[in-house]
Amino acid sequence: MDSNTAKQRIAELSSLIDKYNHEYYVLDNSSISDFEFDNLLEELIALEKQFPEWALPTSPSQRVGGEINKNFLQVKHKYPMLSLANTYSEEELRDFDNRIRKLIPQKDFSYTCELKYDGAAIGLTYTNGILSQAVTRGNGVEGDLITANIKTIRSIPLKLHGDYPAEFEIRGEVFFPHKAFEEFNKERENEGEDPFANPRNAASGSLKLQDSKETAKRKLDCFLYYLLSENLPTKSHYQNLQKAKSWGFKIPNFIAQAKTIDEVWEFINYWNTQRHELPFDIDGIVIKVDNIDLWDMLGYTAKSPRWAIAYKFQAERASTLLESIDYQVGRTGVITPVANLSPVWLAGTTVKRASLHNSDIIEKLDVRIGDTVFVEKGGEIIPKIVGVDLDKRPLNSAPFEYTKTCPECGSTLVRESGEAAFYCPNDDTCFPQLVGRLEHFISKKAMNIDSLGPERVEMMLKNRLISNCADLYELTQETLVGLTTTDEEKKKSSIQDKGATNILAALEESKQVPFERVLFALGIRYVGEVVAKKLARHFQNIEALMNASMIDLLSVDEVGEKISVSILDYFSKPQHRELILRLQKSGLQFQVKEERLSTKLDGLTFVVSGVFQNFSREGIKKSIEENGGKVVSSLSSKTNFLLGGNDIGPEKLKKAEKLNIRILSEEEYRQMIIN
């Protein structure tokens, strides 16, 4: 494909993908399959990689992330980001209404009622229809600039359509949908990390990740609910939101107008019950005077507007009997205590089990078997025990003793300094760890051996066909065909000729998986996707990593003492070195394969800053690396070029001039890689 054809195709694909993104993530209606959408996106990414000069600043490929930001710039809000005053009762709500009516002469105004989303507040600025910046609430006066991370949220438009103002801000809430949060927590547990307590904290933390690619993986969503501009379309807050919806924004449908405070109270009562049916968390209702002309008349306190208030729901709580406590063993050996409860109805579901998190929580609450305990959902997906009804404690009650041995293999549990959880150190023969580790090894983000699954892995382990991941690559058609579970209830589950052929083909294909994913697949404690990638790029091959010292490991970006100790411990065991040797002999990738378009920039170091016309920020960084150059985050005497686009930071310019670093324009850079 020639350059002009590529430019046209990139523009066409960008437009199509934007359209399908809006349909799926905003309108909840897709006209193409996920497979077709993924193919279009993959084609766009491939073309932008081949022709980075035509990658658009608003390209939908930015949704996958990749920009690294170690220090978030503090940005002052054009309009202060105030919080809302809270109320918890009908009486307080009516007092709010009475205050409004005393302050304004007209009595025929209306309220807009909206759900209060439990997430992280965000302010988005659009200039000429393009998302130009995204800023967190911060202290209300200034917040963190997190534009790269926000661009990964697919329900937030990168460019608008329609009759929008030349410049405006729209505010909303970034949140973690329940389903995505549950999936995310399962992944954390599989990687040996503690699950997040609730979607709100996880959403807030996700927005401050240094690697936007990691933010993209978390499947966040965003509702917009407040338009600010010197040129608002109408004098009605409600109508402005409907107008914003026509520009491409995801404006919630859960909005109502109310003429009286009685109608407001009806809205509150309805959602106090129906909130449990929502696929995301809310913690109350926001009530605003709809007529914007009245806002200035009503004014503001030091912290909040007088024309709006938040009604907060009480966290739902139930009491029930704690019948027993079980222990679950995770892939990395982490032991999680789980309470078995007498069934109780709570927040729309019957609760039978609740998380106790770790031994510290049990000790702090003094939870005992036979206690009547208080269980809450609140902002939690998984119910948790929050207290004990001591008045109902049995007279013969005894303090609960946390297990000292693994419930599966009997090994003595270990607790490392500074950690909340105990874990089983027997990672070689403890059955749940074997199953979990193999499931992790074959998973999509690791070796992606899709013809195997949890049931087949467990079947092979129980039949002693395998005991570790290296054994997988010694399987044959003969050993697989006819293999069946030893569980009588699942006797029909067996592997036939075609299934065996598919498994062996998938295993063979997995030998092309790059080193960084093979390293992640090994399941080293605390080595997740991001850390595995950084280790692979730093050490280049497994031999260098296995022989690395503590000082070597600590020099890797985002690798601290805890991760370093875990890596050293893993490679200190002869059985792990033997495992890697066997995997190498089977043909797995244990060194980085360099992919370069040219060596034109060999030995040159760049700092990239600003917004570019023909490249995305990530696109221009990839272009530098693919032509042999190196991209660093900060200027130093070793930097060769500051590659600057529009809106380059004045401090960077000043520092570049002081260090006598050449400032390179986008066009000059293009000439460097073309000539």
Side-chain angles (χ1 to χ4, degrees):
M1 184 181 293
D2 62 41
S3 181
N4 285 333
T5 306
K7 181 181 180 181
Q8 291 174 4
R9 182 57 177 162
I10 285 171
E12 180 186 358
L13 286 168
S14 297
S15 179
L16 276 173
I17 293 169
D18 279 339
K19 172 179 176 288
Y20 296 137
N21 256 329
H22 182 74
E23 286 179 353
Y24 187 86
Y25 292 100
V26 179
L27 303 181
D28 197 24
N29 177 35
S30 182
S31 57
I32 63 168
S33 68
D34 289 349
F35 177 75
E36 290 171 307
F37 180 88
D38 289 342
N39 283 343
L40 290 175
L41 186 57
E42 285 175 14
E43 183 186 352
L44 176 63
I45 291 170
L47 281 174
E48 288 179 340
K49 186 175 182 180
Q50 188 177 355
F51 301 93
E53 64 272 22
W54 303 127
L56 302 171
T58 57
S59 170
S61 64
Q62 293 181 69
R63 303 292 194 184
V64 301
E67 185 167 328
I68 306 295
N69 189 348
K70 289 194 173 182
N71 298 299
F72 290 97
L73 185 68
Q74 292 283 300
V75 175
K76 190 171 182 179
H77 293 295
K78 183 176 180 180
Y79 310 95
M81 213 166 185
L82 303 177
S83 56
L84 294 176
N86 293 326
T87 179
Y88 297 88
S89 68
E90 181 180 0
E91 182 182 3
E92 290 175 349
L93 186 69
R94 292 187 182 278
D95 286 344
F96 165 74
D97 179 58
N98 290 331
R99 288 196 300 273
I100 297 290
R101 294 183 185 280
K102 286 177 183 177
L103 289 169
I104 58 175
Q106 64 187 81
K107 308 302 179 187
D108 60 345
F109 66 90
S110 62
Y111 291 111
T112 298
C113 304
E114 307 165 41
L115 305 187
K116 188 175 183 298
Y117 305 100
D118 199 12
I122 190 73
L124 309 175
T125 299
Y126 284 79
T127 307
N128 297 321
I130 304 296
L131 175 62
S132 54
Q133 76 171 26
V135 185
T136 63
R137 178 193 295 279
N139 60 12
V141 177
E142 61 180 17
D144 292 320
L145 186 68
I146 56 166
T147 313
N149 286 348
I150 283 296
K151 285 180 177 180
T152 68
I153 302 174
R154 294 175 184 265
S155 54
I156 294 177
L158 303 181
K159 59 181 179 179
L160 308 176
H161 50 262
D163 54 345
Y164 45 79
E167 183 173 302
F168 67 91
E169 182 179 345
I170 189 165
R171 290 178 179 169
E173 201 89 0
V174 173
F175 61 92
F176 227 138
H178 290 168
K179 184 179 178 183
F181 178 71
E182 288 170 351
E183 291 173 354
F184 171 62
N185 259 350
K186 282 180 184 176
E187 288 180 11
R188 282 185 66 83
E189 289 172 335
N190 286 338
E191 293 180 17
E193 299 285 346
D194 291 333
F196 278 114
N198 56 62
R200 178 188 62 254
N201 292 350
S204 181
S206 299
L207 294 182
K208 295 295 294 295
L209 291 171
Q210 292 180 349
D211 188 346
S212 60
K213 194 172 286 186
E214 291 305 303
T215 307
K217 294 175 183 175
R218 299 194 177 184
K219 300 177 183 177
L220 300 173
D221 205 342
C222 182
F223 281 136
L224 286 309
Y225 49 64
Y226 183 20
L227 194 63
L228 299 104
S229 174
E230 281 75 35
N231 298 297
L232 290 170
T234 77
K235 296 296 185 181
S236 161
H237 168 66
Y238 179 86
Q239 293 301 329
N240 284 342
L241 292 181
Q242 303 313 308
K243 196 70 177 173
K245 184 184 288 188
S246 73
W247 303 335
F249 289 111
K250 187 169 184 176
I251 306 297
N253 294 321
F254 318 105
I255 305 177
Q257 289 185 291
K259 285 287 187 184
T260 66
I261 202 66
D262 289 331
E263 291 178 9
V264 170
W265 188 242
E266 286 175 16
F267 186 88
I268 290 170
N269 283 332
Y270 175 81
W271 283 110
N272 193 21
T273 303
Q274 294 300 311
R275 61 188 166 121
H276 308 302
E277 307 301 318
L278 293 169
F280 49 82
D281 286 335
I282 65 170
D283 60 354
I285 301 296
V286 175
I287 302 100
K288 300 172 186 171
V289 172
D290 185 62
N291 188 332
I292 293 171
D293 282 340
L294 298 178
W295 292 2
D296 288 335
M297 188 182 298
L298 292 166
Y300 301 80
T301 67
K303 294 183 178 179
S304 57
R306 290 194 176 94
W307 42 267
I309 199 166
Y311 179 89
K312 299 291 289 286
F313 294 134
Q314 295 291 328
E316 292 220 23
R317 176 181 288 194
S319 65
T320 188
L321 185 68
L322 172 58
E323 297 178 344
S324 62
I325 295 175
D326 289 339
Y327 300 95
Q328 294 177 342
V329 184
R331 172 181 67 82
T332 60
V334 171
I335 308 297
T336 304
V338 179
N340 298 305
L341 309 169
S342 295
V344 61
W345 185 257
L346 175 64
T349 59
T350 299
V351 173
K352 297 179 182 178
R353 288 162 69 81
S355 174
L356 281 164
H357 298 296
N358 54 58
S359 62
D360 288 348
I361 297 293
I362 294 174
E363 186 178 345
K364 181 182 177 182
L365 296 174
D366 188 22
V367 174
R368 306 180 184 186
I369 293 171
D371 275 345
T372 297
V373 295
F374 297 112
V375 186
E376 259 186 26
K377 265 193 177 178
E380 315 292 328
I381 296 298
I382 302 169
K384 66 175 182 178
I385 291 175
V386 294
V388 176
D389 189 341
L390 296 176
D391 293 336
K392 295 182 180 179
R393 172 167 281 174
L395 294 175
N396 62 348
S397 173
F400 180 76
E401 290 188 19
Y402 201 84
T403 184
K404 293 181 174 60
T405 59
C406 175
E408 295 288 341
C409 70
S411 298
T412 301
L413 298 182
V414 175
R415 188 182 195 182
E416 294 182 354
S417 176
E419 290 204 0
F422 284 89
Y423 74 94
C424 170
N426 178 22
D427 54 2
D428 292 316
T429 61
C430 184
F431 192 76
Q433 292 190 66
L434 288 176
V435 173
R437 200 158 59 249
L438 280 162
E439 286 180 4
H440 171 74
F441 184 83
I442 67 174
S443 65
K444 186 174 183 179
K445 292 181 179 179
M447 302 304 293
N448 193 24
I449 307 170
D450 56 4
S451 295
L452 282 172
E455 190 175 302
R456 282 178 168 176
V457 163
E458 197 165 332
M459 184 194 302
M460 291 177 187
L461 282 167
K462 286 182 175 178
N463 281 278
R464 301 181 185 277
L465 194 61
I466 59 171
S467 62
N468 57 51
C469 56
D471 291 337
L472 291 170
Y473 293 92
E474 295 176 4
L475 294 171
T476 64
Q477 192 85 5
E478 291 72 24
T479 56
L480 284 172
V481 173
L483 188 68
T484 186
T485 179
T486 55
D487 188 339
E488 288 298 325
E489 293 180 7
K490 299 178 181 177
K491 200 69 179 176
K492 292 180 182 178
S493 179
S494 61
I495 298 175
Q496 304 303 319
D497 278 324
K498 186 176 180 181
T501 300
N502 290 340
I503 290 170
L504 294 174
L507 284 164
E508 189 62 32
E509 188 177 342
S510 74
K511 294 176 183 178
Q512 302 307 313
V513 167
F515 174 36
E516 62 192 42
R517 282 174 51 195
V518 177
L519 184 56
F520 171 60
L522 292 177
I524 302 171
R525 191 173 171 81
Y526 307 126
V527 177
E529 277 185 274
V530 176
V531 171
K533 186 178 294 183
K534 291 184 182 295
L535 289 168
R537 289 179 179 175
H538 184 89
F539 291 103
Q540 295 290 300
N541 59 65
I542 193 66
E543 285 77 15
L545 177 58
M546 286 196 296
N547 296 321
S549 66
M550 173 69 91
I551 294 173
D552 294 332
L553 291 166
L554 289 172
S555 69
V556 182
D557 186 31
E558 292 192 30
V559 174
E561 187 176 342
K562 184 170 76 169
I563 297 173
S564 298
V565 169
S566 176
I567 293 168
L568 290 170
D569 178 64
Y570 181 86
F571 290 122
S572 71
K573 296 179 179 178
Q575 64 268 33
H576 292 157
R577 287 179 172 259
E578 174 63 25
L579 181 79
I580 288 165
L581 184 61
R582 290 178 61 197
L583 291 172
Q584 281 181 303
K585 288 180 178 178
S586 294
L588 273 68
Q589 303 296 318
F590 279 100
Q591 65 179 29
V592 171
K593 286 185 177 180
E594 290 291 341
E595 293 183 11
R596 290 190 177 186
L597 298 177
S598 78
T599 57
K600 291 175 181 177
L601 305 180
D602 268 6
L604 299 177
T605 302
F606 294 76
V607 168
V608 176
S609 181
V611 179
F612 300 92
Q613 291 294 109
N614 298 306
F615 291 91
S616 65
R617 179 79 70 88
E618 181 61 19
I620 209 162
K621 287 180 180 179
K622 279 187 179 179
S623 172
I624 291 168
E625 290 172 350
E626 287 169 352
N627 285 282
K630 181 180 179 182
V631 181
V632 295
S633 58
S634 58
L635 294 165
S636 73
S637 58
K638 295 180 181 179
T639 308
N640 298 107
F641 298 102
L642 171 59
L643 178 50
N646 296 327
D647 301 324
I648 187 171
E651 291 302 315
K652 273 207 170 89
L653 283 172
K654 194 183 296 181
K655 189 170 183 181
E657 290 169 1
K658 182 180 178 181
L659 294 171
N660 201 26
I661 295 168
R662 182 180 167 188
I663 300 166
L664 205 63
S665 72
E666 182 177 353
E667 183 55 34
E668 286 173 322
Y669 171 73
R670 285 184 63 196
Q671 292 304 316
M672 283 179 73
I673 60 174
I674 290 170
N675 294 333

